[in-house]
């Protein structure tokens, strides 16, 4: 754009999730059951590590012939279905690492370009809101030249790996692997770390298959909750039932979506299962997942018909405001707080509770929800914000991905449409045009409340600006009509203005004065203007 602002993207209705996952605890497992699960998981985990090594070594040269060869080798060491699950998990993990490598290259390129730009400017030169200025001192400038060399070397190596199809993957997680070198800071012993490491590298998951008994032949769960596992070929001696299967003593009953799961199991539809151990809690869990048909997307015009709720996402709360179809704020703003400190389960519960309150409020008023399509992948780098560590921690702490995933799934379950809008300038323009007008003696609108109004107006297709720009000189003749005009189908657009009771000015009492809608009452030649005591008759030209 000519004024330096980027083009704002169009709003769209967010599609619903394509899959469902539910989890239940395996209660009542015996010591023998846990031993069998660990043996099976360790054996399949070693096969998964071996297969992942071969897949990473193949790189971009991988083809169907190599995949078939790997699967045949794994089949003799486990079973045909276990081999299929192992190779599929390997391909998914390699693809995930490949996408992470692309994101890493993009972040390095952003950092290199930012440093080059700031090094090209004189020391101490001021920046603006869009572009950073020069570095503050000569010392910082010199340090950043060394930093630029480091980032350029990393970028060159990452690009080389990308071109060669070389990725680096750690089964069990790189973070947990690095914890081995910092056991004292993590308050762990070597034995405790080893237990976590082995549990994270086990493989106990199997994809479903429609038409087979209960939708899965490898990990089979009956409608009454009985769990049985097809043992790999080297471990068939551990079977406690026919056909090399092991039946666990624990029973599962999914409290959430249990009826849906039973319907799929009765119909022999595909259900994937995963068994994992939580070492810290000393518990075993079973996760069931399956695909669902995509929900029909409501047209954007239908979503806008009754107004909606604009929501601004922040590090510690959700700011929401209800808007009517014309983009006017209705009622008072709402705030839904959450605390993201503590454990991961506590943070997840906080986010879920805040979203539940928001969705229940939207369902009571039968309204859609408008949110920003946020992505801070390239915004958290220290090269972009420099010494603004507090701001970097702020945007890094915003649960964007967690909120997006939770909100989409929960809103789809309740039948509430979601509208995603471009986040460009919503906070700035909302504070500029809406924060002061919405502030009164009894209500103080915050910057986040104003941003919620801006988000809602953008989702409704309106401009963020409260009113149109005032007309310029000879606007209709030289520039055309106003920027916002009544549409041809708007009722009453050509009618006269209604008569408003009361004086039009301080000097006119109620019920007196010329009517603006009466053309015969205008002060024009040949028109009989209403005379009142407040109007002076013209003086005669002669006696």
């Amino acid at each position: 754009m000519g004024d330096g602002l980027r083009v704002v993207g169009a709003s769209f209705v967010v599609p619903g999730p394509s899959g469902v996952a539910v989890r239940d605890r395996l209660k009542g497992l015996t010591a023998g059951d846990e031993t069998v699960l660990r043996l099976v998981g360790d054996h399949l985990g070693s096969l998964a590590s071996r297969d992942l090594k071969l897949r990473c070594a193949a790189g971009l040269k991988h083809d169907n012939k190599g995949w078939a060869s790997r699967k045949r080798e794994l089949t003799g060491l486990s079973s045909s279905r276990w081999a299929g699950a192992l190779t599929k998990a390997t391909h998914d993990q390699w693809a995930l690492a490949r996408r992470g490598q692309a994101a890493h290259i993009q972040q390095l390129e952003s950092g290199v370009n930012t440093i080059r730009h700031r090094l090209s400017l004189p020391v101490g030169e001021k920046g603006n809101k869009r572009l950073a200025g020069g570095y503050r001192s000569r010392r910082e400038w010199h340090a950043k030249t060394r930093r630029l060399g480091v980032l350029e070397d990393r970028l060159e190596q990452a690009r080389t790996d990308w071109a060669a199809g070389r990725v680096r993957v750690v089964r069990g997680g790189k973070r947990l692997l690095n914890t081995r070198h910092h056991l004292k800071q993590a308050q762990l012993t070597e034995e405790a770390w080893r237990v976590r490491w082995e549990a994270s590298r086990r493989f106990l998951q199997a994809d479903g298959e429609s038409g087979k008994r209960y939708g899965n032949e490898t990990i089979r769960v009956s409608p009454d909750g009985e769990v049985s596992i097809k043992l790999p070929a080297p471990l068939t001696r551990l079977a406690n039932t026919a056909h090399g299967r092991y039946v666990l003593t624990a029973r599962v009953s999914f409290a959430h979506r249990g009826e849906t799961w039973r319907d799929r199991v009765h119909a022999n539809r595909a259900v994937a299962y995963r068994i994992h151990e939580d070492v810290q809690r000393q518990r075993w869990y079973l996760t069931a997942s399956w695909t669902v048909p995509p929900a029909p997307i409501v047209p954007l015009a239908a979503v806008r018909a009754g107004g909606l709720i604009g929501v601004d996402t922040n590090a510690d709360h959700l700011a929401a405001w209800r808007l009517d179809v014309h983009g006017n704020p209705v009622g008072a703003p709402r705030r839904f707080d959450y605390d993201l400190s503590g454990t991961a389960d506590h943070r997840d519960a906080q986010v879920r509770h805040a979203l539940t309150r928001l969705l229940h409020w939207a369902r009571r008023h039968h309204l859609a929800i408008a949110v920003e399509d946020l992505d801070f992948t390239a915004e958290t780098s220290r090269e972009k914000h420099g010494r603004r560590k507090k701001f970097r921690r702020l945007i890094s702490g915003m649960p964007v991905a967690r909120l997006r995933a939770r909100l989409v799934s929960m809103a789809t379950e309740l039948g509430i449409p979601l509208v995603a809008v471009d986040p460009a300038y919503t906070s700035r323009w909302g504070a500029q045009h809406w924060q002061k007008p919405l502030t009164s003696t009894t209500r103080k609108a915050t910057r986040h409340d104003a941003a919620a109004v801006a988000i809602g107006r953008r989702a409704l297709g309106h401009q963020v600006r409260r009113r149109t720009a005032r007309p310029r000189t000879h606007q209709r003749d030289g520039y055309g009509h106003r920027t916002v005009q009544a549409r041809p189908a708007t009722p009453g657009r050509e009618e006269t203005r209604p008569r408003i009771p009361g004086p039009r000015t301080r000097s006119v009492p109620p019920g007196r004065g010329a009517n603006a809608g009466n053309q015969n009452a205008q002060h024009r030649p040949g028109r009989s203007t209403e005379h009142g005591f407040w109007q002076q008759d013209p003086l005669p030209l002669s006696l």
Side-chain angles (χ1 to χ4, degrees), residues 337-355:
D337 298 293
Y338 45 80
D339 181 16
L340 298 181
S341 61
T343 62
D345 293 337
H346 174 264
R347 296 194 299 267
D348 186 70
Q350 288 283 315
V351 171
R352 187 169 59 251
H353 179 61
L355 293 179

Side-chain angles (χ1 to χ4, degrees), residues 192-415:
W193 176 88
R194 180 65 60 181
V195 171
R196 293 189 182 184
W197 177 250
E198 292 176 353
S200 63
R201 291 171 62 86
R202 293 193 187 106
F203 187 91
L204 277 172
Q205 63 186 46
D207 299 328
E209 188 176 359
S210 296
K212 299 299 181 180
R213 189 178 182 186
Y214 303 143
N216 198 314
E217 283 286 347
T218 310
I219 301 178
R220 181 185 298 167
V221 183
S222 62
D224 59 355
E226 182 185 77
V227 182
S228 63
I229 302 174
K230 176 67 175 179
L231 296 177
L235 300 176
T236 52
R237 67 183 187 278
L238 302 176
N240 58 2
T241 186
H243 307 293
R245 305 190 69 88
Y246 186 90
V247 180
L248 302 177
T249 57
R251 296 297 180 99
V252 294
S253 59
F254 298 101
H256 180 58
R257 299 180 183 267
E259 293 298 329
T260 306
W261 169 78
R262 291 186 185 88
D263 292 342
R264 294 187 65 88
V265 170
H266 278 295
N268 295 331
R269 300 178 64 185
V271 180
Y273 295 104
R274 174 176 176 262
I275 301 175
H276 70 281
E277 180 186 9
D278 190 336
V279 178
Q280 298 180 359
R281 295 184 177 183
Q282 297 181 355
R283 296 176 178 178
W284 290 82
Y285 292 93
L286 174 68
T287 303
S289 58
W290 60 88
T291 58
V292 294
I297 299 179
V298 183
L300 185 58
V303 174
R304 294 171 172 174
L308 44 75
I309 295 175
V311 178
D312 180 49
T313 306
N314 302 283
D316 58 350
H317 73 281
L318 298 174
W321 208 318
R322 178 185 175 186
L323 283 77
D324 61 13
V325 66
H326 304 290
N328 301 316
V330 178
R334 299 288 299 272
R335 179 188 174 104
F336 305 97
D337 298 293
Y338 45 80
D339 181 16
L340 298 181
S341 61
T343 62
D345 293 337
H346 174 264
R347 296 194 299 267
D348 186 70
Q350 288 283 315
V351 171
R352 187 169 59 251
H353 179 61
L355 293 179
T356 300
R357 295 168 55 199
L358 170 65
L359 292 172
H360 286 178
W361 180 44
R363 187 171 62 172
R364 284 196 302 269
H365 297 284
H366 305 285
L367 296 176
I369 296 177
V371 294
E372 293 175 300
D373 190 13
L374 293 173
D375 184 12
F376 291 136
T377 303
E379 298 293 331
T380 57
S381 64
R382 66 180 183 178
E383 312 304 337
K384 182 177 179 62
H385 302 289
R387 300 182 180 181
R388 301 170 61 187
K389 295 183 179 180
K390 185 177 180 180
F391 181 73
R392 285 165 49 195
R393 286 194 299 266
L394 176 65
I395 59 179
S396 298
M398 295 181 65
V400 176
R402 189 181 304 112
L403 273 173
R404 183 191 297 116
R406 281 286 184 185
L407 184 58
V408 170
S409 61
M410 297 172 67
T412 304
E413 186 69 18
L414 296 176

Side-chain angles (χ1 to χ4, degrees), residues 6-12 371-374 419-426 454-455 458-459:
R6 72 176 182 86
V7 179
V8 178
S11 304
F12 61 93
V371 294
E372 293 175 300
D373 190 13
L374 293 173
V419 181
V421 302
D422 194 316
Y425 317 111
T426 53
I455 293 169
R458 182 170 290 176

Side-chain angles (χ1 to χ4, degrees), residues 507-509 512-515 521-523 528-538:
S507 60
V508 182
R512 305 297 296 271
N515 186 359
Q522 306 302 319
H523 294 268
S528 57
T529 307
E530 177 186 2
H531 290 267
F533 69 94
W534 52 272
Q535 291 179 327
Q536 182 180 2
D537 293 334

